[in-house]
Every structure is written in C-alpha cells, then in structure tokens.
C-alpha cells in the first residue's frame, strides 16, 4: 500500500487553476522526485498535499486515510513534515529554538539532528536570520525532522545553494533515505536528484506528463520538460 496517494487532484488560486488532475503515489521508504520547469505546479502540488490550500477536485490519501479535507496542522500531526520553498525558519528565534519549537516525540531528537548537521549544534545560540542559505536549509530540514515525520517533503532542496553546499544537503538526504525515511523532493537539477531519487514525476502545466526512474528519462524528454 502507498504511503501517499494523489488521485486526480485539481487546485488553484482563486479563478486561476494551477493543477489539472495530478495523480501519483509514493511508497513506504521511497524517494520520489517531483520535477518540472518554473510555474508548472510543483509547489502547488505540495501545498495541496500538505493541506495548505483547498482541493477543488480529486483526493489525497496518506497512511491509509483520506486527508483531502484536513487542515495543515492535522496533516503535520499525521506525519507529513514539510521543508517549504524559501526555507522559512523563524528568523528572530535561535537555531536551538527553531529546532525545539515544533519537536514531537520519536526517534528524531536534538542529538540526532546535531549528528546529521553538526553545523546546527555549533550555531545553536545564533538567531536563524544570521545563518547562510545552506545553514538555513539544514535548519529547515532539522526542524521538520524534529516533528518525527513519516514523510519528509522538500520543496526546492538545493535551490540557490553553492555546489559544495548542495552536496552536503544531498549527503544528508541520502542518509535519511538509508535510514528508511520516505521522501518527496522538488529540485531542478536532474543530475543531482537522479542520484538519490528512486522515481520521478514530471509536471507540465499542472499535469503529470512523465513518470519513471530518473535514469530512464531520455535526453530529448529532459530537454522538453526540464530544459530552460
Ligand atoms: N499565490 C499564488 N497566486 C496566484 N497564482 C499562483 C500563486 N502561486 C502560484 N501561482 C501560479 O500557479 C502556477 C503553478 O505555480 P507553482 O508555484 O506551483 O509552480 P512551481 O512548479 O513550484 O514553480 P517554481 O519552480 O518556480 O517554484 C503558476 O502559473 C503560478 O503562477
Ligand atoms: Mg515552486
């Protein structure tokens, strides 16, 4: 049985429809990449499944339950942990406060997050707003892990980060995968995400147009759906 299943999801912003029937499933322990060019509906799909916006049609199931009508805090409590686009740490709070404010009981605790991202331990007392982009992403991931999610959703895992920092983030994601965590990851760099994702779904104007193992995406398809 799938951990997460979207079935013909439609959603939009007021009169502007953004999703036109998005369906895909994510299995327990699977790493799924959600890809597509700018404005194709990746973040909207994530907002819909994290219950941050209403569905206008279709449904979302998570862990055997229909969550289509739930509020975002209820979806979070069921075990969907989100690292949103733009990272959105609580800027005035310290790194430590950011991590502990949303903590819920489970295998992920401060010691484990610090082991994954030693930098966050060193920066504990610093306000989040003083962190570099890469450190903010580490903090956003750490904060989501502290909620002990069953599914970790990352919208733009490495956007805007320098290559060496991106590698650090991918290494951490690989460790989470090895640990058995289920992951849904948005990222634009096919080459990098291919090394961690088991499967990819590509969106084009709010519709899935391709699904498969990233390595099986032909160059002309990558160009058509992911090219600039
Ligand atoms: N808050 C909003 N209000 C109105 N329209 C929006 C809003 N957010 C997104 N849209 C529109 O919905 C469509 C899908 O946007 P979405 O943010 O989901 O794309 P995306 O694939 O995440 O793009 P990006 O790669 O740039 O993050 C786009 O046409 C976009 O202009
Ligand atoms: Mg987006």
């Amino acid at each position: 049985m799938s951990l997460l299943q979207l079935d013909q999801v439609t959603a939009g912003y007021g009169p502007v429809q953004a999703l036109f029937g998005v369906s895909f499933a994510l299995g327990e322990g699977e790493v799924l990449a959600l890809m597509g060019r700018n404005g194709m509906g990746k973040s909207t799909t994530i907002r819909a499944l994290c219950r941050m916006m209403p569905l206008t049609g279709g449904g979302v199931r998570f862990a055997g339950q229909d969550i289509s009508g739930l509020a975002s805090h209820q979806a979070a409590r069921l075990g969907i942990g989100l690292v949103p686009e733009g990272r959105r740490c609580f800027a005035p709070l310290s790194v430590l406060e950011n991590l502990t404010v949303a903590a819920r009981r489970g295998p992920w605790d401060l010691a484990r997050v610090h082991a994954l991202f030693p930098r966050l331990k060193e920066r504990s007392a610093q306000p989040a707003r003083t962190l570099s982009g890469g450190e903010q992403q580490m903090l956003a991931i750490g904060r989501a892990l502290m909620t002990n999610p069953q599914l970790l959703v990352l919208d733009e895992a490495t956007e805007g980060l320098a290559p060496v920092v991106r590698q650090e983030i991918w290494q951490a994601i690989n460790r989470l995968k090895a640990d058995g965590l289920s992951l849904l990851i948005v990222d634009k760099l096919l080459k990098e995400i291919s090394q961690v994702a088991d499967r990819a779904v590509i969106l084009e104007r709010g519709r899935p147009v391709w699904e498969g193992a990233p390595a099986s995406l032909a160059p002309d398809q990558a160009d058509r759906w992911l090219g600039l």
Side-chain angles (χ1 to χ4, degrees):
M1 193 189 63
S2 303
L3 178 62
L4 174 74
Q5 186 149 16
L6 275 71
D7 181 28
Q8 291 296 322
V9 168
T10 60
Y13 302 90
V16 182
Q17 190 170 350
L19 303 183
F20 296 83
V22 174
S23 303
F24 62 83
L26 186 155
E28 192 94 43
E30 189 177 26
V31 179
L32 181 67
L34 185 60
M35 307 198 69
R37 288 193 305 262
N38 291 108
M40 292 304 170
K42 304 178 298 293
S43 294
T44 306
T45 299
I46 284 176
R47 285 183 204 119
L49 74 91
C50 291
R51 305 302 315 117
M52 296 164 77
M53 63 191 290
L55 306 184
T56 53
V60 181
R61 292 185 69 79
F62 179 71
Q65 198 173 323
D66 183 356
I67 65 163
S68 311
L70 296 191
S72 59
H73 69 274
Q74 293 170 313
R77 200 176 307 142
L78 277 179
I80 303 181
L82 173 66
V83 177
E85 199 172 22
R87 289 149 206 156
R88 287 181 229 284
C89 300
F90 300 117
L93 296 189
S94 71
V95 168
L96 182 64
E97 287 164 334
N98 265 278
L99 289 176
T100 50
V101 72
R104 280 177 32 223
R105 217 178 279 277
W108 281 98
D109 57 12
L110 201 54
R112 215 160 149 209
V113 168
H114 282 164
L116 184 68
F117 296 122
R119 209 90 63 82
L120 296 182
K121 187 175 184 183
E122 292 161 24
R123 304 266 189 272
S124 279
Q126 243 173 266
R129 69 180 140 73
T130 65
L131 297 179
S132 71
E135 289 165 350
Q136 285 188 27
Q137 184 66 330
M138 292 174 197
L139 181 56
I141 295 172
R143 192 182 53 182
L145 288 172
M146 290 289 284
T147 70
N148 277 286
Q150 268 186 277
L151 170 67
L152 184 65
V153 180
L154 289 113
D155 193 354
E156 302 295 357
T158 65
E159 173 99 340
L161 303 180
V164 51
V165 185
R166 288 207 304 270
Q167 280 318 312
E168 274 185 72
I169 299 292
W170 288 125
Q171 270 172 24
I173 290 172
N174 260 311
R175 268 190 236 154
L176 299 175
K177 178 185 181 178
D179 221 57
L181 190 64
S182 310
L183 289 144
L184 176 60
I185 306 177
V186 170
D187 202 272
K188 296 211 179 66
L189 297 168
L190 178 64
K191 208 174 128 199
E192 294 185 7
I193 205 167
S194 295
Q195 291 172 17
V196 56
D198 302 306
R199 210 154 48 85
V201 171
I202 298 179
L203 295 183
E204 171 90 349
R205 296 174 212 273
R207 289 179 180 88
V209 288
W210 189 88
E211 186 178 324
S216 67
L217 185 69
D220 65 308
Q221 295 175 311
D223 216 47
R224 177 166 1 133
W225 293 313
L226 308 176
L228 298 174

